[in-house]
Amino acid sequence: MQALLDHARSFHRNPGRDADTLRALAAGQSPEAMVISCSDSRVVPALITGAGPGEVFELRNAGNIVPPPGSGVPSGEAATIEYALEVLGVRDVVVCGHSHCGAMDALASGSDLSGLPGVEAWLSLVRPALTPYLGTHPGPRPGQDARLERIVQRNIVHQLAVLGSYPAAGRLVAAGELRLHGWYYRVETGALLELGDDGTFEAR
């Protein structure tokens, strides 16, 4: 923590190539894209995309989950999506899942989440949609890595569908003013698989 703190405290003295950009950003932001990704510390959207300050609007949470719209419950995710589309005018949104995702692994393995009520409640948003892919046998099984990969990828597809059900997103997609993308990131290699029109994830 001390190294992180020292860097944060001294950053303003040596922002490097971003000095001019930071000054310009004081006037406002106009990011090119929005990335909805997992909170996992191994998944860094700016690192993956090579984006600099002001280029990517990020929304991160456990399992890169998009809560359904219109629930009547205040949601930081819903507010962030609404702001990105209606105020910032973002025209590309990526939902990015990843290998070794702890949230999806908890669902895949049938983990006991009674000691993590917040996590249990959060994952309940996606459990019904992913149940057909979860199987009925908890715990590790042969091919678990491939099984988890498939679950993560199905979650990405589901989250894109939920995102498309937001009024602003649906309207903009229909008008050809918004593109939705699905990415699967392999932590161990840095490889990126993209969702195609045929529903498969491939390196493109």
Coordinates of all heavy atoms in Angstrom, one line a residue, residues 43-113:
V43 N -8.0 -7.6 -14.2 CA -8.7 -7.1 -15.4 C -8.7 -5.6 -15.4 O -9.4 -5.0 -14.6 CB -10.1 -7.6 -15.5 CG1 -10.8 -7.2 -16.8 CG2 -10.1 -9.2 -15.4
V44 N -7.8 -5.0 -16.2 CA -7.7 -3.5 -16.3 C -8.0 -3.0 -17.6 O -7.2 -3.1 -18.6 CB -6.2 -3.1 -15.9 CG1 -6.1 -1.6 -15.8 CG2 -5.8 -3.8 -14.6
P45 N -9.2 -2.5 -17.8 CA -9.7 -2.1 -19.1 C -8.7 -1.1 -19.9 O -8.5 -1.3 -21.1 CB -11.0 -1.4 -18.9 CG -11.5 -2.1 -17.7 CD -10.3 -2.3 -16.8
A46 N -8.1 -0.2 -19.2 CA -7.2 0.7 -19.8 C -5.9 0.0 -20.3 O -5.4 0.4 -21.4 CB -6.8 1.9 -18.9
L47 N -5.5 -1.0 -19.6 CA -4.3 -1.7 -20.0 C -4.6 -2.6 -21.2 O -3.9 -2.7 -22.1 CB -3.9 -2.6 -18.8 CG -2.7 -3.5 -19.1 CD1 -1.4 -2.7 -19.3 CD2 -2.4 -4.5 -17.9
I48 N -5.8 -3.2 -21.2 CA -6.2 -4.1 -22.3 C -6.4 -3.3 -23.6 O -6.0 -3.8 -24.6 CB -7.5 -4.9 -21.9 CG1 -7.3 -5.8 -20.7 CG2 -8.0 -5.7 -23.1 CD1 -8.5 -6.4 -20.1
T49 N -7.0 -2.2 -23.5 CA -7.3 -1.4 -24.7 C -6.3 -0.4 -25.0 O -6.3 0.2 -26.1 CB -8.6 -0.6 -24.4 OG1 -8.5 0.3 -23.3 CG2 -9.8 -1.5 -24.2
G50 N -5.3 -0.1 -24.1 CA -4.3 0.9 -24.4 C -4.9 2.3 -24.3 O -4.3 3.3 -24.8
A51 N -6.0 2.5 -23.6 CA -6.7 3.8 -23.5 C -6.0 4.7 -22.5 O -5.4 4.2 -21.5 CB -8.1 3.6 -23.1
G52 N -6.0 5.9 -22.8 CA -5.4 6.9 -21.9 C -6.5 7.6 -21.2 O -7.7 7.3 -21.3
P53 N -6.2 8.6 -20.3 CA -7.2 9.4 -19.6 C -8.3 10.0 -20.5 O -7.9 10.5 -21.5 CB -6.4 10.4 -18.8 CG -5.1 9.9 -18.7 CD -4.8 9.1 -20.0
G54 N -9.5 9.8 -20.1 CA -10.6 10.4 -20.9 C -11.1 9.6 -22.1 O -12.1 10.0 -22.7
E55 N -10.5 8.5 -22.4 CA -10.9 7.7 -23.6 C -11.9 6.6 -23.3 O -12.7 6.2 -24.2 CB -9.7 7.1 -24.2 CG -8.7 8.2 -24.8 CD -7.5 7.6 -25.5 OE1 -7.2 6.4 -25.3 OE2 -6.8 8.4 -26.2
V56 N -11.9 6.1 -22.1 CA -12.8 5.0 -21.8 C -13.6 5.3 -20.5 O -13.0 5.6 -19.5 CB -12.1 3.6 -21.6 CG1 -13.0 2.5 -21.1 CG2 -11.5 3.2 -23.0
F57 N -14.9 5.1 -20.5 CA -15.8 5.3 -19.3 C -15.9 3.9 -18.8 O -16.4 3.0 -19.5 CB -17.1 5.9 -19.8 CG -17.9 6.5 -18.7 CD1 -17.4 7.6 -17.9 CD2 -19.2 6.0 -18.4 CE1 -18.2 8.2 -16.9 CE2 -19.9 6.6 -17.4 CZ -19.4 7.7 -16.6
E58 N -15.6 3.7 -17.5 CA -15.6 2.4 -16.9 C -16.7 2.1 -15.9 O -17.0 3.0 -15.1 CB -14.2 2.1 -16.3 CG -13.0 2.0 -17.2 CD -11.7 1.7 -16.5 OE1 -11.8 1.0 -15.4 OE2 -10.7 2.0 -17.0
L59 N -17.2 0.9 -15.9 CA -18.1 0.5 -14.9 C -17.7 -0.9 -14.5 O -17.6 -1.8 -15.3 CB -19.6 0.4 -15.5 CG -20.6 -0.3 -14.6 CD1 -20.7 0.4 -13.2 CD2 -22.0 -0.3 -15.3
R60 N -17.3 -1.1 -13.2 CA -16.8 -2.3 -12.8 C -17.5 -2.8 -11.6 O -17.8 -2.1 -10.6 CB -15.3 -2.2 -12.5 CG -14.4 -1.7 -13.6 CD -13.0 -1.6 -13.3 NE -12.4 -2.9 -13.1 CZ -11.1 -3.1 -12.9 NH1 -10.2 -2.1 -12.9 NH2 -10.6 -4.3 -12.8
N61 N -17.8 -4.1 -11.6 CA -18.4 -4.7 -10.4 C -18.2 -6.2 -10.4 O -17.6 -6.8 -11.4 CB -19.9 -4.4 -10.3 CG -20.7 -5.0 -11.5 OD1 -20.5 -6.1 -12.0 ND2 -21.6 -4.2 -12.0
A62 N -18.5 -6.9 -9.4 CA -18.3 -8.4 -9.3 C -19.1 -9.1 -10.4 O -20.3 -9.0 -10.4 CB -18.7 -8.9 -8.0
G63 N -18.4 -9.7 -11.4 CA -19.1 -10.5 -12.4 C -19.6 -9.7 -13.6 O -20.3 -10.2 -14.4
N64 N -19.1 -8.4 -13.7 CA -19.6 -7.5 -14.8 C -21.1 -7.7 -15.1 O -21.5 -8.0 -16.2 CB -18.8 -7.8 -16.1 CG -18.5 -9.2 -16.4 OD1 -17.5 -9.8 -16.0 ND2 -19.4 -9.9 -17.2
I65 N -21.9 -7.5 -14.0 CA -23.3 -7.7 -14.1 C -24.0 -6.3 -14.3 O -23.7 -5.3 -13.8 CB -23.8 -8.3 -12.8 CG1 -23.3 -9.7 -12.7 CG2 -25.3 -8.3 -12.7 CD1 -23.5 -10.4 -11.3
V66 N -25.0 -6.4 -15.2 CA -25.9 -5.3 -15.5 C -27.2 -5.5 -14.9 O -28.0 -6.4 -15.4 CB -26.0 -5.0 -17.0 CG1 -27.0 -3.9 -17.3 CG2 -24.7 -4.8 -17.7
P67 N -27.6 -4.8 -13.8 CA -28.9 -5.1 -13.2 C -30.1 -4.7 -14.2 O -29.9 -3.8 -15.0 CB -28.9 -4.1 -12.0 CG -27.5 -3.8 -11.8 CD -26.9 -3.8 -13.1
P68 N -31.2 -5.5 -14.1 CA -32.3 -5.1 -15.0 C -32.8 -3.7 -14.7 O -32.8 -3.3 -13.6 CB -33.3 -6.2 -14.6 CG -32.6 -7.3 -14.0 CD -31.4 -6.6 -13.3
P69 N -33.2 -3.0 -15.8 CA -33.7 -1.7 -15.6 C -35.1 -1.7 -15.0 O -35.8 -2.7 -15.0 CB -33.8 -1.1 -17.0 CG -34.0 -2.3 -17.9 CD -33.3 -3.4 -17.2
G70 N -35.5 -0.6 -14.4 CA -36.9 -0.5 -13.9 C -37.2 -1.2 -12.6 O -38.4 -1.5 -12.4
S71 N -36.2 -1.6 -11.9 CA -36.5 -2.3 -10.6 C -37.0 -1.5 -9.5 O -37.6 -1.9 -8.5 CB -35.2 -3.0 -10.2 OG -34.2 -2.1 -9.7
G72 N -36.8 -0.2 -9.6 CA -37.3 0.8 -8.6 C -36.3 0.9 -7.5 O -36.5 1.7 -6.6
V73 N -35.2 0.1 -7.5 CA -34.1 0.2 -6.5 C -33.0 1.0 -7.1 O -32.5 0.7 -8.2 CB -33.6 -1.2 -6.1 CG1 -32.5 -1.2 -5.1 CG2 -34.8 -2.1 -5.6
P74 N -32.5 2.0 -6.3 CA -31.4 2.8 -6.8 C -30.2 1.9 -7.2 O -29.8 1.0 -6.4 CB -31.1 3.7 -5.6 CG -32.3 3.9 -4.9 CD -33.0 2.5 -5.0
S75 N -29.6 2.2 -8.3 CA -28.5 1.3 -8.8 C -27.4 2.2 -9.4 O -27.6 3.0 -10.3 CB -29.0 0.3 -9.8 OG -27.9 -0.2 -10.6
G76 N -26.2 2.1 -8.8 CA -25.0 2.8 -9.4 C -24.8 2.4 -10.8 O -24.4 3.2 -11.7
E77 N -25.0 1.1 -11.1 CA -24.8 0.6 -12.5 C -25.8 1.3 -13.5 O -25.4 1.7 -14.5 CB -25.0 -0.9 -12.6 CG -23.9 -1.7 -12.0 CD -23.9 -1.8 -10.5 OE1 -24.9 -1.4 -9.9 OE2 -22.9 -2.2 -9.9
A78 N -27.1 1.3 -13.1 CA -28.1 1.9 -13.9 C -27.8 3.4 -14.2 O -27.9 3.9 -15.3 CB -29.5 1.8 -13.3
A79 N -27.4 4.1 -13.1 CA -27.1 5.5 -13.2 C -25.9 5.7 -14.1 O -25.8 6.7 -14.9 CB -26.8 6.1 -11.8
T80 N -24.9 4.9 -14.0 CA -23.7 5.0 -14.8 C -24.0 4.8 -16.3 O -23.5 5.5 -17.2 CB -22.6 4.0 -14.3 OG1 -22.3 4.3 -13.0 CG2 -21.3 4.2 -15.2
I81 N -24.8 3.7 -16.6 CA -25.1 3.4 -18.0 C -26.0 4.6 -18.5 O -25.7 5.1 -19.7 CB -25.9 2.1 -18.0 CG1 -25.0 1.0 -17.7 CG2 -26.6 1.9 -19.4 CD1 -25.7 -0.3 -17.4
E82 N -26.9 5.1 -17.8 CA -27.8 6.2 -18.2 C -26.9 7.4 -18.5 O -27.1 8.1 -19.6 CB -28.8 6.5 -17.1 CG -29.8 7.6 -17.5 CD -30.8 7.8 -16.3 OE1 -31.8 7.0 -16.3 OE2 -30.5 8.6 -15.5
Y83 N -26.0 7.7 -17.7 CA -25.2 8.9 -17.9 C -24.3 8.8 -19.1 O -24.1 9.7 -19.9 CB -24.3 9.1 -16.6 CG -23.6 10.5 -16.6 CD1 -24.2 11.7 -16.3 CD2 -22.2 10.5 -17.0 CE1 -23.5 12.9 -16.3 CE2 -21.5 11.7 -17.0 CZ -22.2 12.9 -16.7 OH -21.5 14.1 -16.7
A84 N -23.7 7.6 -19.3 CA -22.8 7.3 -20.4 C -23.5 7.5 -21.7 O -23.0 8.1 -22.7 CB -22.2 5.9 -20.3
L85 N -24.8 7.0 -21.8 CA -25.5 7.0 -23.1 C -26.2 8.4 -23.3 O -26.2 8.9 -24.4 CB -26.5 5.9 -23.1 CG -26.0 4.5 -23.0 CD1 -27.1 3.5 -23.1 CD2 -24.9 4.2 -24.0
E86 N -26.8 8.9 -22.3 CA -27.6 10.1 -22.4 C -26.9 11.4 -22.3 O -27.2 12.4 -22.9 CB -28.8 10.1 -21.4 CG -29.7 8.9 -21.5 CD -30.7 9.0 -22.7 OE1 -30.4 9.6 -23.7 OE2 -31.8 8.5 -22.5
V87 N -25.8 11.4 -21.5 CA -25.1 12.7 -21.3 C -23.7 12.7 -22.1 O -23.4 13.6 -22.8 CB -24.8 12.9 -19.8 CG1 -24.0 14.2 -19.6 CG2 -26.1 13.0 -19.1
L88 N -23.0 11.6 -21.9 CA -21.7 11.6 -22.6 C -21.7 11.2 -24.1 O -20.8 11.4 -24.8 CB -20.7 10.6 -21.8 CG -20.4 10.9 -20.4 CD1 -19.5 9.9 -19.8 CD2 -19.8 12.3 -20.3
G89 N -22.8 10.6 -24.5 CA -23.0 10.2 -25.9 C -22.1 9.1 -26.3 O -21.7 9.0 -27.5
V90 N -21.7 8.2 -25.4 CA -20.9 7.0 -25.7 C -21.7 6.2 -26.8 O -22.9 6.0 -26.6 CB -20.6 6.2 -24.5 CG1 -20.1 4.8 -24.8 CG2 -19.6 6.9 -23.6
R91 N -21.0 5.7 -27.8 CA -21.6 5.0 -28.9 C -21.1 3.6 -29.0 O -21.5 2.9 -30.0 CB -21.5 5.8 -30.2 CG -22.3 7.1 -30.2 CD -23.8 6.8 -30.0 NE -24.6 8.0 -29.9 CZ -25.1 8.5 -28.8 NH1 -24.9 7.8 -27.6 NH2 -25.9 9.5 -28.8
D92 N -20.2 3.2 -28.2 CA -19.8 1.8 -28.2 C -19.7 1.3 -26.7 O -19.1 2.0 -25.9 CB -18.4 1.6 -28.8 CG -18.5 1.7 -30.3 OD1 -18.8 0.6 -30.9 OD2 -18.2 2.8 -30.9
V93 N -20.4 0.2 -26.4 CA -20.3 -0.3 -25.0 C -19.9 -1.8 -25.1 O -20.4 -2.6 -25.9 CB -21.7 -0.2 -24.3 CG1 -21.6 -0.8 -22.9 CG2 -22.2 1.2 -24.3
V94 N -18.9 -2.1 -24.3 CA -18.3 -3.4 -24.2 C -18.6 -4.0 -22.9 O -18.5 -3.4 -21.8 CB -16.8 -3.4 -24.3 CG1 -16.2 -4.8 -24.1 CG2 -16.3 -2.8 -25.6
V95 N -19.1 -5.3 -22.9 CA -19.2 -6.1 -21.7 C -18.1 -7.1 -21.7 O -18.0 -7.9 -22.6 CB -20.6 -6.8 -21.5 CG1 -20.6 -7.7 -20.3 CG2 -21.7 -5.8 -21.4
C96 N -17.2 -7.0 -20.7 CA -16.0 -7.8 -20.7 C -15.9 -8.7 -19.5 O -15.8 -8.3 -18.4 CB -14.7 -6.9 -20.7 SG -13.2 -7.7 -20.7
G97 N -16.0 -10.0 -19.8 CA -15.8 -11.0 -18.8 C -14.4 -11.6 -18.9 O -13.7 -11.3 -19.8
H98 N -14.1 -12.5 -18.0 CA -12.7 -12.9 -18.0 C -12.5 -14.3 -17.4 O -13.4 -14.8 -16.7 CB -11.8 -12.0 -17.2 CG -12.1 -11.9 -15.7 ND1 -11.4 -12.7 -14.8 CD2 -13.1 -11.3 -15.0 CE1 -11.9 -12.4 -13.6 NE2 -12.9 -11.6 -13.7
S99 N -11.4 -15.0 -17.7 CA -11.1 -16.3 -17.2 C -10.9 -16.2 -15.7 O -10.5 -15.1 -15.1 CB -9.8 -16.9 -17.8 OG -8.7 -16.0 -17.6
H100 N -11.1 -17.3 -15.0 CA -10.8 -17.3 -13.5 C -11.7 -16.3 -12.7 O -11.2 -15.8 -11.7 CB -9.3 -17.1 -13.2 CG -8.4 -17.9 -14.0 ND1 -8.3 -19.3 -14.0 CD2 -7.5 -17.5 -15.0 CE1 -7.4 -19.7 -14.8 NE2 -6.9 -18.6 -15.5
C101 N -12.9 -16.1 -13.2 CA -13.8 -15.1 -12.6 C -14.3 -15.7 -11.3 O -15.0 -16.7 -11.3 CB -14.9 -14.7 -13.5 SG -16.1 -13.6 -12.8
G102 N -14.0 -15.1 -10.2 CA -14.5 -15.6 -8.9 C -16.0 -15.6 -8.7 O -16.6 -16.6 -8.2
A103 N -16.7 -14.6 -9.3 CA -18.1 -14.5 -9.1 C -18.8 -15.7 -9.9 O -19.7 -16.4 -9.4 CB -18.6 -13.2 -9.7
M104 N -18.3 -15.9 -11.1 CA -18.9 -16.9 -11.9 C -18.5 -18.3 -11.4 O -19.3 -19.3 -11.5 CB -18.5 -16.8 -13.4 CG -19.1 -15.6 -14.1 SD -20.9 -15.5 -14.1 CE -21.2 -14.2 -12.8
D105 N -17.3 -18.4 -10.9 CA -16.9 -19.7 -10.3 C -17.7 -20.1 -9.1 O -18.0 -21.3 -8.9 CB -15.4 -19.6 -9.9 CG -14.9 -21.0 -9.5 OD1 -15.1 -22.0 -10.2 OD2 -14.3 -21.1 -8.4
A106 N -18.1 -19.1 -8.3 CA -19.0 -19.3 -7.2 C -20.3 -20.0 -7.6 O -20.9 -20.9 -7.0 CB -19.3 -18.0 -6.4
L107 N -20.9 -19.5 -8.7 CA -22.1 -20.0 -9.3 C -21.8 -21.4 -9.8 O -22.6 -22.4 -9.6 CB -22.6 -19.1 -10.4 CG -23.3 -17.8 -10.0 CD1 -23.7 -17.0 -11.2 CD2 -24.5 -18.0 -9.1
A108 N -20.7 -21.6 -10.6 CA -20.4 -22.8 -11.2 C -20.2 -24.0 -10.3 O -20.6 -25.1 -10.5 CB -19.2 -22.7 -12.2
S109 N -19.6 -23.6 -9.1 CA -19.2 -24.7 -8.2 C -20.2 -24.9 -7.1 O -20.1 -25.7 -6.2 CB -17.8 -24.3 -7.5 OG -17.9 -23.1 -6.8
G110 N -21.3 -24.1 -7.1 CA -22.3 -24.2 -6.0 C -21.8 -23.8 -4.7 O -22.2 -24.4 -3.7
S111 N -20.9 -22.8 -4.6 CA -20.3 -22.4 -3.3 C -21.3 -21.9 -2.3 O -22.4 -21.4 -2.7 CB -19.3 -21.2 -3.6 OG -18.3 -21.6 -4.4
D112 N -21.1 -22.2 -1.1 CA -21.9 -21.8 0.0 C -21.6 -20.3 0.3 O -20.5 -19.9 0.7 CB -21.6 -22.6 1.3 CG -22.4 -22.2 2.5 OD1 -23.3 -21.3 2.3 OD2 -22.2 -22.6 3.6
L113 N -22.6 -19.5 0.0 CA -22.4 -18.0 0.1 C -23.1 -17.4 1.3 O -23.3 -16.2 1.4 CB -22.8 -17.3 -1.2 CG -22.0 -17.7 -2.5 CD1 -22.6 -17.0 -3.7 CD2 -20.6 -17.3 -2.3

